[in-house]
């Protein structure tokens, strides 16, 4: 395939021309930056050949502020862009201020081999199949569908005919919320074929994940289907495994042309996430990491997380730092756990190298809602948490909580403060002495109390507080002239 076809140049030019955009931001991931100059050159040639010529300025954006799958509205706002053309893998998260047009790309895949592998596996199963796929393989799905349907009708009898349901790709054009109020704020879904009338149900029953959407017949659940994933073992596939952990899932690797049924590694992720939830329950200070400034609804989620954490008797701080890494988060050692508010594709951070665990908003709801139980369901999109299950701030219990990580009972700070208020007066000195000493018994049956209530308390216990200012010398010191020039070669270094 040539560059015109892979990057959908004609459709991109039509999108820019039909909306009279004059300042267009082109967002490329790192792996596609090598093609950006050629794409810009072809786009300029195509736009210059239009009858109604308009002055269009094209800007290439790289090294996005957050994940490359999200539209970088922060970077686009710096150049006053009218829209963003997003290339490569995407989460199709709705934008807040700018319209976005997505070009998924077209990855190579052996259609015949893929259809044959899926058909052979389906011949030994009686369940209906739901086919999901990476967006880079969306261009080949109509051909795979034809071969699968033809093979199923040939191999199976009329009574045991294998049923295949295919997910649809959501609309590659996303407008800000105020531009599509008629559709209820949800992007329209399109595919190669319209959904039949008997399968149309209410909008609330439509399933969406990773830029795909589908509807199930009335009365059926996801557990009734066997999921077939076509694509790589990436974050999108991990989201499918976690979200539909009750379903049987099979993955076809397009690069290696083989069918994989061993999902033990992905299942292990779910166990670790549950461990992080239990560890987060013992946290006293919680940091909220802002992982996006463009996905619609992120501010509502941050505010709800703050209410949830404060209602649980924890101290909360909000941190904005772009893409988190161990070095950045190490600057906040007082935080016992971090909540990462981002799109579903980047929400799962492997925090083994971090000094504190990083959890999702859904996991925070399980950790900080006293009495909440995990039913096995897992929600990746924080927008689904806002719409389907709003955060309920429950008052903390009067009893100490048992920590499965520490193996003992733990008393939260709000309960400690409440007891201190009740015991003011005669026992004030004794309580103050107890809180100052903070002695801890190593017995598993003992009651453990928290040691730090805020970042200020943690800072006070540190041995190093920064540079010390000595005020003994009142004499003014002469100022010094610093270096001049660029870091690659200062002026005083040129002669050396």
């Amino acid at each position: 395939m040539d560059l015109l076809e892979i990057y959908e140049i004609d459709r991109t030019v039509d999108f820019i021309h039909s909306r009279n955009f004059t300042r267009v931001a082109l967002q490329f991931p790192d792996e596609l930056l090598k093609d950006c100059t050629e794409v810009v050159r072809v786009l300029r040639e195509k736009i210059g050949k239009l009858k109604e010529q308009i002055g269009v300025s094209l800007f290439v954006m790289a090294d996005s502020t957050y994940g490359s799958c999200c539209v970088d509205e922060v970077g686009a706002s710096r150049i006053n862009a009218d829209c963003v053309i997003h290339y490569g893998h995407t989460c199709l998260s709705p934008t807040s201020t700018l319209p976005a047009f997505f070009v998924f790309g077209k990855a190579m895949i052996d259609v015949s081999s893929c259809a044959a592998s899926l058909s052979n596996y389906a011949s030994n199963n009686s369940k209906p199949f739901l086919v999901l796929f990476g967006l880079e393989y969306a261009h080949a799905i109509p051909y795979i569908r034809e071969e699968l349907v033809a093979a199923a009708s040939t191999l199976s009898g009329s009574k045991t005919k294998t049923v295949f349901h295919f997910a649809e790709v959501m609309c590659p054009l996303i407008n800000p919320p105020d531009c599509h109020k008629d559709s209820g704020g949800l992007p329209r879904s399109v595919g190669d074929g319209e959904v039949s009338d008997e399968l149309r149900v209410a909008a609330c029953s439509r399933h969406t994940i990773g830029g795909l959407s589908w509807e199930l017949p009335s009365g059926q659940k996801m557990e009734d289907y066997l999921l077939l994933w076509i694509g790589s073992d990436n974050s999108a596939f991990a989201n499918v495994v976690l979200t539909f952990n009750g379903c049987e899932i099979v993955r076809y690797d397009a690069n290696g042309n083989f069918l994989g049924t061993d999902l033990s590694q992905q299942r292990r992720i779910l166990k670790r996430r549950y461990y992080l939830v239990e560890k987060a329950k013992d946290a006293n200070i919680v940091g909220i990491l802002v992982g996006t400034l463009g996905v619609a609804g992120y501010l509502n989620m941050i505010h709800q997380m703050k209410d949830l954490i404060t209602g649980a008797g924890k101290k909360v701080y909000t941190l904005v730092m772009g893409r988190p890494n161990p070095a950045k988060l190490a600057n906040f050692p007082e935080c016992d756990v971090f909540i990462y508010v981002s799109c579903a594709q980047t929400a799962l951070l492997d925090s083994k190298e971090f000094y504190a665990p990083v959890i999702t908003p859904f996991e925070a709801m399980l950790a900080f809602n006293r009495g909440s139980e995990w039913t096995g369901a897992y929600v990746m999109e924080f927008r689904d948490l806002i719409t389907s299950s709003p955060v309920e701030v429950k008052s903390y219990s009067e009893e100490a909580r048992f920590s499965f990580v520490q193996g003992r009972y733990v008393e939260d700070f709000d309960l400690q403060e409440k007891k201190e208020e009740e015991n003011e007066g005669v026992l004030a000195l004794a309580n103050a002495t107890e809180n100052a000493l903070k002695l801890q018994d190593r017995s598993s049956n003992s009651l453990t109390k928290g040691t730090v209530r805020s970042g200020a308390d943690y800072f006070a216990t540190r041995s190093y507080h920064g540079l010390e200012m000595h005020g003994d010398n009142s004499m003014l010191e002469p100022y010094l002239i610093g270096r001049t020039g660029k870091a690659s070669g200062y002026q005083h270094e040129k002669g050396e």
Side-chain angles (χ1 to χ4, degrees):
M1 286 183 279
D2 59 357
L3 185 138
L4 290 175
E5 186 177 358
I6 295 176
Y7 289 95
E8 302 182 18
I9 300 297
D10 293 333
R11 292 184 60 217
T12 304
V13 172
D14 181 67
F15 167 74
I16 297 173
H17 178 65
S18 62
R19 302 204 170 199
N20 296 322
F21 291 135
T22 57
R23 299 179 68 85
V24 180
L26 308 178
Q27 181 177 341
F28 288 85
D30 294 341
E31 62 271 15
L32 297 181
L33 271 177
K34 61 182 184 299
D35 298 331
C36 66
T37 55
E38 187 65 18
V39 171
V40 170
R41 184 187 65 80
V42 177
L43 283 175
R44 285 175 176 171
E45 290 181 357
K46 291 286 184 178
I47 294 175
K49 294 179 181 178
L50 296 175
K51 294 181 180 180
E52 301 176 2
Q53 293 188 7
I54 55 176
V56 179
S57 300
L58 303 177
F59 302 88
V60 175
M61 294 195 305
D63 191 19
S64 55
T65 307
Y66 296 98
S68 59
C69 62
C70 298
V71 176
D72 190 2
E73 294 187 78
V74 176
S77 63
R78 295 172 181 170
I79 56 175
N80 296 323
D82 301 324
C83 70
V84 177
I85 309 296
H86 185 283
Y87 294 96
H89 177 70
T90 178
C91 55
L92 278 179
S93 299
T95 57
S96 299
T97 58
L98 292 177
F101 183 80
F102 296 90
V103 179
F104 307 131
K106 298 180 180 181
M108 299 297 296
I109 183 174
D110 190 338
V111 174
S112 300
S113 175
C114 176
S117 299
L118 297 183
S119 179
N120 293 336
Y121 186 83
S123 61
N124 299 322
N125 291 271
S126 58
K127 276 188 174 183
F129 290 82
L130 176 62
V131 180
L132 307 177
F133 48 89
L135 296 178
E136 63 273 20
Y137 299 103
H139 65 98
I141 294 302
Y143 307 104
I144 297 175
R145 187 206 311 253
E146 292 178 2
E147 295 202 14
L148 276 178
V149 173
S153 60
T154 303
L155 297 176
S156 303
S158 57
K159 294 183 180 180
T160 60
K161 182 178 180 180
T162 305
V163 179
F164 289 95
H165 295 272
F166 285 80
E168 299 176 336
V169 179
M170 297 174 66
C171 182
L173 170 61
I174 291 183
N175 292 311
D178 57 348
C179 296
H180 54 269
K181 292 182 180 180
D182 296 338
S183 60
L186 296 175
R188 181 176 56 88
S189 297
V190 296
D192 298 284
E194 292 293 334
V195 182
S196 57
D197 294 335
E198 61 269 18
L199 296 185
R200 292 192 180 278
V201 293
C204 60
S205 66
R206 175 173 287 271
H207 298 269
T208 60
I209 189 171
L212 303 176
S213 65
W214 64 92
E215 292 177 353
L216 299 181
S218 178
Q220 292 189 358
K221 303 178 298 181
M222 286 298 301
E223 289 75 12
D224 300 331
Y225 286 79
L226 192 151
L227 304 186
L228 298 176
W229 172 264
I230 301 175
S232 306
D233 185 5
N234 51 18
S235 59
F237 179 60
N239 291 349
V240 172
V241 174
L242 289 179
T243 304
F244 306 113
N245 54 76
C247 301
E248 182 180 355
I249 304 176
V250 178
R251 182 179 71 91
Y252 177 78
D253 192 309
N255 297 324
N257 293 331
F258 66 89
L259 202 64
T261 58
D262 183 14
L263 301 179
S264 58
Q265 183 66 25
Q266 287 76 15
R267 304 292 187 189
R268 213 172 287 123
I269 297 177
L270 192 63
K271 296 180 181 179
R272 173 164 177 78
R273 304 310 300 187
Y274 183 74
Y275 165 75
L276 295 180
V277 171
E278 292 298 324
K279 196 171 182 180
K281 292 180 180 179
D282 298 339
N284 294 320
I285 303 177
V286 182
I288 298 179
L289 300 178
V290 182
T292 177
L293 295 177
V295 178
Y298 79 96
L299 279 178
N300 294 332
M301 191 73 260
I302 292 175
H303 292 321
Q304 290 192 6
M305 286 292 102
K306 287 182 177 180
D307 295 339
L308 175 68
I309 296 168
T310 54
K314 318 289 184 180
K315 186 68 176 179
V316 58
Y317 296 97
T318 304
L319 308 173
V320 182
M321 62 179 65
R323 298 182 187 179
N325 56 48
K328 290 181 180 179
L329 297 189
N331 293 314
F332 306 95
E334 63 271 22
C335 293
D336 301 314
V337 67
F338 296 95
I339 303 175
Y340 193 35
V341 179
S342 67
C343 73
Q345 299 287 335
T346 57
L348 294 178
L349 284 180
D350 187 5
S351 56
K352 293 180 180 179
E353 299 181 357
F354 292 77
Y355 291 99
V358 182
I359 63 176
T360 66
F362 172 73
E363 294 165 349
M365 292 176 61
L366 294 177
F368 302 133
N369 260 333
R370 180 70 71 90
S372 61
E373 297 181 357
W374 183 53
T375 61
Y378 199 94
V379 181
M380 296 298 304
E381 293 280 358
F382 67 79
R383 290 177 288 113
D384 294 338
L385 296 176
I386 297 175
T387 56
S388 61
S389 55
V391 175
E392 298 181 2
V393 180
K394 301 178 181 179
S395 60
Y396 52 86
S397 174
E398 297 293 333
E399 300 179 356
R401 173 182 54 82
F402 185 81
S403 170
F404 290 97
V405 176
Q406 300 184 29
R408 67 190 74 196
Y409 284 94
V410 177
E411 192 176 63
D412 293 327
F413 276 121
D414 282 299
L415 188 56
Q416 297 180 39
E417 292 176 357
K418 188 173 182 180
K419 288 182 178 179
E420 290 173 1
E421 294 176 359
E422 293 177 350
N423 296 332
E424 285 182 355
V426 179
L427 300 179
L429 180 60
N431 292 331
T433 305
E434 177 187 1
N435 290 332
L437 295 176
K438 293 288 192 279
L439 294 179
Q440 178 177 323
D441 187 2
R442 294 299 179 183
S443 173
S444 60
N445 297 323
S446 64
L447 176 65
T448 302
K449 297 185 178 182
T451 56
V452 178
R453 305 188 183 190
S454 65
D457 293 342
Y458 184 90
F459 184 77
T461 61
R462 297 178 67 174
S463 59
Y464 177 70
H465 296 166
L467 298 178
E468 298 181 1
M469 303 298 295
H470 300 286
D472 299 337
N473 187 8
S474 59
M475 297 296 295
L476 295 178
E477 297 289 341
Y479 66 90
L480 300 177
I481 300 178
R483 296 180 179 181
T484 304
K486 298 181 179 179
S488 58
Y490 294 104
Q491 290 185 0
H492 73 281
E493 298 176 342
K494 291 183 177 180
E496 299 178 0

